Amino acid sequence: MKQKQLYTIILGATVLAGCSNFEKINTNPDKTDKVNSGMLATSMLLSVTRSTIASTKGFMQPYMLGKYITWGENQENFQFNRLNRASFERLAVLRNVSPMVAAALDDAQRNSYSGLAAFIRAWQFYQTTMQVGDIPYTDAIKGESDGVVQPKYDNQKTVFLGILRELDSANALLSRGSNFDGDPIFNGKVDNWRRVVNGFELHVLMQLYRKTADTDLKVIQRFQDIVNNRPLMRNYNDNFALAYNNTQGQNYPWSDVPAGSGNSFVKSNYTMLTSTFLDPLKALGDRRLFYFAKPSPVQIAAGKLPSEWDAYPGAEPSDPFPVLQDKRVSKDYADLNNRYVQLVNAEPVSVFGYWDQQFVLAEAALRGWIANSPAQTYYAAGIGEAMRFTADYTPDNVDYHHNMKIDAGYIQNYITTNALTGSTAQQLQQIITQKYIAGFLQGANYNAWFENRRTGYPVFKLNANSNLNTPSTAFPVRWLYPSNELTYNNTNMDDAVKRQFPGGDNTNGVMWILKD
């Protein structure tokens, strides 16, 4: 110790003056040297939105599985129904939950960040269990300090009970909180977050519609309580959505990205809109087609106008890849509207939207869960706001709407013309069809595919000659468990597989949520 003190004294004559400012000199005045709640909130919210949405080709992957588009570069697994191994990586972000809450400066802020944390936990666990079935929940996001390095798997019912509890908690905590920092979605407004939390909980409860007899879940009772007693989303301004801007790295995922990014090669060279998506638009006289698509150059050359429905031929997504390649080479197909490529802020991308909530409410009314409004009321509100969103975010450029504008009069006439009618099954198909249309380049992760798995709508054509699932005569219903679990948590994973799927960990195993 004396030698160290002497060394310091000797050095002091020559360098102490310079080193006395070391921390000041090496501290960036524009950045904090401590991690605060706002920074962690930003990181987690961008992980749920921007990181999940990804960019360019990654942005399009869920829409291949949902049969909105086909891809002509190479044979894509999702395009032909091959589901490989899932990932639990989305759960890793939850390690930031405790530090975010712990860094809150007062009780009101602590309530807000705790409420946000509960929502993000519920969101991430929901997305994970929907892919595979049973997952680690009770022991998840623990480690050596907790004595848990190989978390056990909870059954899916336990996971959903946990998700519902966390969403209830999120609403209650946010109601006692104050506006908070670090929120790129709503600028920290707790009222907006409560509305998203409650709308999303309705969505989760609708996924449990086969479990209405379960006395632990209390599906209908919970649903009614939320509708009657909690704030819900009011219009598209309440969407859980990320807006984009002209800053490099922050522009719309499919826009013509800045030079040097290396991503521009995937623009509309390989996308074709499908007949699965375009045919319902045509049948309904839905002008969103002209906002979503651009016409076939072959049809335009043959004399059709961009305002004619027949100028937009779709590709059948179940056709074998060589057939789709030939169609792409022919150029006789409808592609993505130019606005998605040319505008850096084309539109905010929702991971959960007002229309998602309204179509869930419409389905609930149809099923008799709620009686305060007919299904048509919610259905109409979902359609109207989805159309207004599309029209409001599209510049008045003929190349973007092809002289087939959507205005208030058109919306009202469309809703009247396409009102719910027929049997319960027919009305359900109408509701899910509208949810499917509204979900074009919107919605979180595989929503259209989940709806098809849950209800059979929209109807996807099965072609055994192109289907990459095994067997080729059936659509898959789940992803396989992650490869990391095979390596590091095999015993617990194997126990979960055995209790769920007699045929082993395969894509055809029917998880609990899908069983009557």
Side-chain angles (χ1 to χ4, degrees):
M1 180 64 70
K2 289 182 179 178
Q3 288 179 332
K4 182 175 181 180
Q5 290 173 337
L6 178 62
Y7 181 69
T8 302
I9 292 170
I10 294 172
L11 284 178
T14 56
V15 300
L16 185 58
C19 289
S20 65
N21 292 324
F22 178 83
E23 289 189 4
K24 181 178 180 180
I25 293 170
N26 288 277
T27 299
N28 186 340
D30 297 323
K31 293 184 178 180
T32 180
D33 59 353
K34 296 181 179 179
V35 175
N36 57 47
S37 297
M39 293 170 61
L40 293 170
T42 302
S43 174
M44 285 193 285
L45 287 171
L46 290 179
S47 178
V48 171
T49 53
R50 179 181 295 162
S51 298
T52 298
I53 291 166
S55 61
T56 59
K57 185 177 178 181
F59 177 49
M60 289 296 168
Q61 289 285 344
Y63 304 105
M64 295 182 206
L65 188 60
K67 315 308 177 194
Y68 290 99
I69 67 166
T70 70
W71 191 264
E73 179 186 16
N74 294 302
Q75 181 167 287
E76 292 290 322
N77 284 341
F78 279 173
Q79 185 170 321
F80 296 105
N81 312 309
R82 173 172 286 170
L83 301 181
N84 293 319
R85 296 201 173 274
S87 170
F88 288 171
E89 282 301 308
R90 67 169 60 250
L91 300 181
V93 71
L94 301 182
R95 297 189 185 106
N96 289 330
V97 160
S98 294
M100 178 180 71
V101 174
L105 300 179
D106 56 43
D107 287 344
Q109 289 285 285
R110 191 169 296 107
N111 284 335
S112 296
Y113 286 117
S114 296
L116 180 67
F119 169 69
I120 292 176
R121 278 179 53 88
W123 181 275
Q124 298 292 72
F125 282 115
Y126 170 80
Q127 302 297 343
T128 305
T129 190
M130 286 291 284
Q131 287 191 333
V132 296
D134 293 2
I135 58 171
Y137 175 72
T138 306
D139 286 346
I141 322 304
K142 295 181 179 180
E144 291 184 6
S145 61
D146 303 294
V148 179
V149 293
Q150 293 177 319
K152 70 177 181 65
Y153 282 55
D154 293 280
N155 63 55
Q156 197 171 39
K157 176 180 173 177
T158 299
V159 176
F160 270 94
L161 281 168
I163 290 168
L164 293 171
R165 282 194 300 269
E166 298 209 54
L167 291 170
D168 289 340
S169 177
N171 171 68
L173 287 162
L174 288 164
S175 73
R176 300 193 298 270
S178 60
N179 293 346
F180 57 92
D181 294 330
D183 173 17
I185 310 299
F186 298 119
N187 198 28
K189 295 177 181 177
V190 292
D191 178 68
N192 287 94
W193 278 110
R194 287 187 70 196
R195 294 176 187 279
V196 167
V197 166
N198 296 327
F200 179 64
E201 187 166 359
L202 295 180
H203 170 82
V204 173
L205 288 165
M206 185 53 69
Q207 302 304 307
L208 295 165
Y209 80 100
R210 289 183 172 90
K211 310 299 180 181
T212 55
D214 191 298
T215 56
D216 297 320
L217 290 166
K218 300 181 177 66
V219 172
I220 298 176
Q221 180 180 331
R222 287 176 185 268
F223 198 100
Q224 292 172 339
D225 178 67
I226 294 169
V227 173
N228 293 330
N229 299 307
R230 298 189 197 175
L232 295 173
M233 300 163 78
R234 298 157 294 189
N235 52 51
Y236 72 66
N237 292 311
D238 288 335
N239 286 1
F240 182 18
L242 187 64
Y244 295 87
N245 58 58
N246 200 27
T247 304
Q248 185 168 356
Q250 297 179 25
N251 49 3
Y252 183 74
W254 200 247
S255 67
D256 194 4
V257 292
S261 70
N263 288 326
S264 60
F265 75 96
V266 297
K267 294 299 172 278
S268 297
N269 296 329
Y270 303 118
T271 53
M272 295 186 290
L273 297 186
T274 69
S275 53
T276 306
F277 178 54
L278 295 178
D279 286 354
L281 291 166
K282 295 174 183 178
L284 294 167
D286 195 320
R287 290 188 181 182
R288 281 175 289 184
L289 177 145
F290 301 97
Y291 288 71
F292 292 156
K294 66 180 179 183
S296 157
V298 174
Q299 298 301 317
I300 297 301
K304 288 190 172 61
L305 298 174
S307 57
E308 293 184 61
W309 304 92
D310 289 344
Y312 298 81
E316 169 49 54
S318 68
D319 281 346
F321 185 64
V323 175
L324 293 175
Q325 279 187 311
D326 289 343
K327 189 170 189 66
R328 185 174 68 84
V329 171
S330 77
K331 300 187 183 300
D332 191 15
Y333 60 87
D335 201 350
L336 292 165
N337 191 291
N338 282 335
R339 68 189 178 96
Y340 297 113
V341 178
Q342 296 172 357
L343 301 177
V344 295
N345 57 343
E347 61 189 23
V349 177
S350 303
V351 290
F352 186 76
Y354 169 81
W355 43 80
D356 296 309
Q357 171 191 280
Q358 294 309 105
F359 292 130
V360 166
L361 288 165
E363 183 175 345
L366 184 65
R367 293 184 183 280
W369 293 8
I370 50 178
N372 58 326
S373 296
Q376 175 65 28
T377 301
Y378 300 117
Y379 173 76
I383 294 172
E385 201 64 7
M387 285 189 166
R388 279 186 283 274
F389 172 85
T390 297
D392 290 352
Y393 277 99
T394 302
D396 189 4
N397 179 327
V398 67
D399 195 35
Y400 299 160
H401 54 61
H402 304 107
N403 286 321
M404 294 292 278
K405 291 185 182 181
I406 293 173
D407 57 23
Y410 168 78
I411 293 172
Q412 185 55 56
N413 181 68
Y414 179 94
I415 290 170
T416 301
T417 302
N418 295 295
L420 290 175
T421 186
S423 66
T424 298
Q426 289 170 327
Q427 291 183 57
L428 177 62
Q429 182 173 12
Q430 287 180 268
I431 292 168
I432 301 302
T433 297
Q434 288 295 335
K435 185 185 290 189
Y436 182 64
I437 293 170
F440 181 63
L441 304 190
Q442 297 285 318
N445 294 293
Y446 320 113
N447 276 355
W449 188 80
F450 286 144
E451 287 300 325
N452 170 269
R453 182 181 73 175
R454 182 177 74 90
T455 69
Y457 306 121
V459 176
F460 297 158
K461 182 178 178 181
L462 180 65
N463 185 343
N465 294 319
S466 62
N467 184 20
L468 296 180
N469 186 47
T470 302
S472 63
T473 53
F475 286 113
V477 294
R478 62 178 293 273
W479 279 254
L480 305 177
Y481 280 115
S483 57
N484 282 350
E485 292 293 287
L486 288 169
T487 304
Y488 301 112
N489 197 21
N490 182 262
T491 298
N492 288 317
M493 188 206 77
D494 192 50
D495 287 344
V497 169
K498 287 178 179 177
R499 71 171 174 253
Q500 293 177 93
F501 312 121
D505 186 19
N506 66 76
T507 58
N508 306 295
V510 180
M511 62 183 70
W512 170 83
I513 198 173
L514 300 176
K515 295 178 180 178
D516 293 322

